Amino acid sequence: MTDVGSKDSTALLRSPLHERHAALGAKFAAFGGWDMPLEYAGGGVLKEHAAVREEVGVFDVSHLGKARIAGPGAAEFVNACLTNDLGRIKPGKAQYTLCCDEATGGVVDDIIAYLHGEDHVFLIPNAANTAEVVRRLRAAAPADLDITDEHRDYAVLAVQGPRSAELLGRLGLPTEHEYMSFATAELDGVELTVCRTGYTGEHGYELVAPAADAVRVWDALFGTDLPVRACGLAARDTLRTEMGYPLHGQDLSLEITPVQARSGWAVGWSKPAFWGRSALVAEKAAGPRRTLWGLVATDRGIPRPHMQVLGAADQVVGEITSGTFSPTRKIGIALALLDSGSGLSEGDTVEVDIRGRRSTMTVTKPPFVTPSVR
């Protein structure tokens, strides 16, 4: 998810579910050029966060991008561009991967790739970066590959939480497929894809359906007697931060490489080619100048992005990239890029300058809560 800041709401794109959100008293905010629900009346972030950790919540994430690569050797082409190794998975599986800049290794975007077959790959990039990802792919693609930007053609609904399988099961949708796989299905005459993916750390699914049918799918999800709660993107942010999942534009960016962000697990280092390979291999060998760590407050301080991290003798040793109050742990947590030369490691203590007041925090490795994705 990428938040590009507020804009004139008249210039923002709207989800096909906008009226449903308005009827629920949603507070809207700009995300990647879209006017999306931040939180809803009757509970707000804390109740929405708790619903996902304890029961089941539904997010409209239709602002996320959609792009399709089809034609002879589509999977081979994507594999030569993006960092992760599509050769590790079979059709019907999904993979987290990165689009990196060829020269610097910086991250253009982080993406979920859905492998339909050797001639068909579907990508879900972040909203603000979809056009750039598609542009780069088109510039590199052979003439017989068809690369289409389908950003507005599909809606995406994230059904997340311990009771997510129960909810989908009541609607006759498949739930038994393994983590990071997908299956096609039908719901009330709507053909959709049920993906065992998510951004919350809980067992969950993401439903990809034609935008024209989004309201029917939404209404079906809220039509059972289960305690389903609509959740906004503010709760999605607290949930992903508790898991240490990176947010592009904050924890990953053109200035923050996967080596620095501890995302090297999403790089197929043995592949002969992918965008940014030379720069990233060199950085990995030399060691990054900074590394992403977790911070946990030992007092009541709530860290926020861009706050300075201070080490011994008040030396600036890093910067917060993501920070929030953890509703699960009831304490401040953060992701921060710390200078490798500072010598800091897990268990060390630092201070964060929170608007002129010092807050003491402990260096740790995320996640901050126990994951339940499987």
Side-chain angles (χ1 to χ4, degrees):
M1 183 179 70
T2 301
D3 182 357
V4 297
S6 60
K7 296 181 179 179
D8 178 0
S9 61
T10 60
L12 297 172
L13 298 173
R14 286 185 170 183
S15 160
L17 294 162
H18 187 87
E19 298 306 320
R20 286 291 188 270
H21 302 318
L24 291 172
K27 176 182 177 182
F28 291 92
F31 284 85
W34 291 64
D35 196 23
M36 298 300 293
L38 186 66
E39 60 182 70
Y40 295 87
V45 176
L46 295 182
K47 286 190 177 181
E48 293 167 20
H49 183 109
V52 174
R53 290 282 184 245
E54 300 167 9
E55 298 280 357
V56 58
V58 176
F59 302 82
D60 177 10
V61 289
S62 299
H63 65 301
L64 293 176
K66 304 95 188 170
R68 195 178 305 274
I69 299 90
E76 183 179 0
F77 166 71
V78 171
N79 204 30
C81 298
L82 307 185
T83 61
N84 215 334
D85 189 354
L86 273 179
R88 296 174 182 166
I89 65 173
K90 297 178 180 180
K93 295 281 286 184
Q95 185 181 71
Y96 179 82
T97 189
L98 304 164
C99 174
C100 288
D101 182 76
E102 174 64 23
T104 68
V107 181
V108 176
D109 202 15
D110 58 339
I111 299 169
I112 300 291
Y114 297 88
L115 180 63
H116 288 264
E118 62 181 15
D119 298 334
H120 182 190
V121 181
F122 187 71
L123 303 179
I124 295 190
N126 285 292
N129 304 323
T130 301
E132 178 62 13
V133 169
V134 169
R135 185 195 69 77
R136 289 180 183 238
L137 289 170
R138 284 175 174 166
D144 56 353
L145 275 187
D146 187 18
I147 300 175
T148 55
D149 185 340
E150 302 180 359
H151 199 159
R152 302 188 66 178
D153 296 342
Y154 293 92
V156 183
L157 298 178
V159 183
Q160 302 283 300
R163 302 186 73 177
S164 57
E166 182 182 357
L167 172 58
L168 296 195
R170 291 197 185 190
L171 299 176
L173 294 175
T175 61
E176 297 301 320
H177 44 306
E178 62 183 353
Y179 183 57
M180 296 299 287
S181 67
F182 60 95
T184 57
E186 185 175 302
L187 175 61
D188 293 339
V190 177
E191 292 187 3
L192 47 76
T193 303
V194 181
C195 312
R196 269 284 286 117
T197 48
Y199 195 52
T200 67
E202 295 296 332
H203 187 101
Y205 306 82
E206 292 179 305
L207 310 181
V208 182
D213 298 315
V215 170
R216 291 166 64 188
V217 177
W218 177 273
D219 289 349
L221 291 170
F222 287 89
T224 75
D225 60 357
L226 289 179
V228 185
R229 182 177 286 273
C231 300
L233 298 185
R236 192 167 182 258
D237 193 56
T238 57
L239 289 157
R240 71 91 190 170
T241 304
E242 287 187 342
M243 283 301 301
Y245 291 157
L247 174 63
H248 191 274
Q250 291 184 198
D251 315 297
L252 292 167
S253 71
L254 281 170
E255 288 71 44
I256 304 172
T257 69
V259 178
Q260 296 168 24
R262 294 185 187 272
S263 296
W265 59 270
V267 177
W269 296 105
S270 61
K271 291 198 307 181
F274 57 86
W275 291 340
R277 187 181 188 279
S278 295
L280 293 175
V281 167
E283 183 181 34
K284 182 184 178 186
R289 63 184 178 85
R290 55 185 183 173
T291 303
L292 197 69
W293 285 91
L295 302 179
V296 178
T298 60
D299 52 30
R300 299 181 67 179
I302 308 298
R304 299 296 183 188
H306 307 301
M307 290 180 174
Q308 290 185 335
V309 181
L310 307 174
D314 289 344
Q315 179 185 6
V316 177
V317 294
E319 181 179 344
I320 302 292
T321 54
S322 290
T324 191
F325 173 78
S326 166
T328 302
R329 295 187 56 174
K330 307 288 191 295
I331 202 165
I333 59 172
L335 299 175
L337 281 169
L338 302 183
D339 297 339
S340 299
S342 67
L344 290 167
S345 60
E346 189 170 13
D348 288 343
T349 298
V350 295
E351 290 186 328
V352 174
D353 185 346
I354 301 180
R355 293 179 290 277
R357 184 180 62 82
R358 300 293 180 86
S359 176
T360 302
M361 302 195 179
T362 302
V363 178
T364 188
K365 290 183 180 179
F368 302 99
V369 298
T370 303
S372 302
V373 294
R374 298 182 187 277

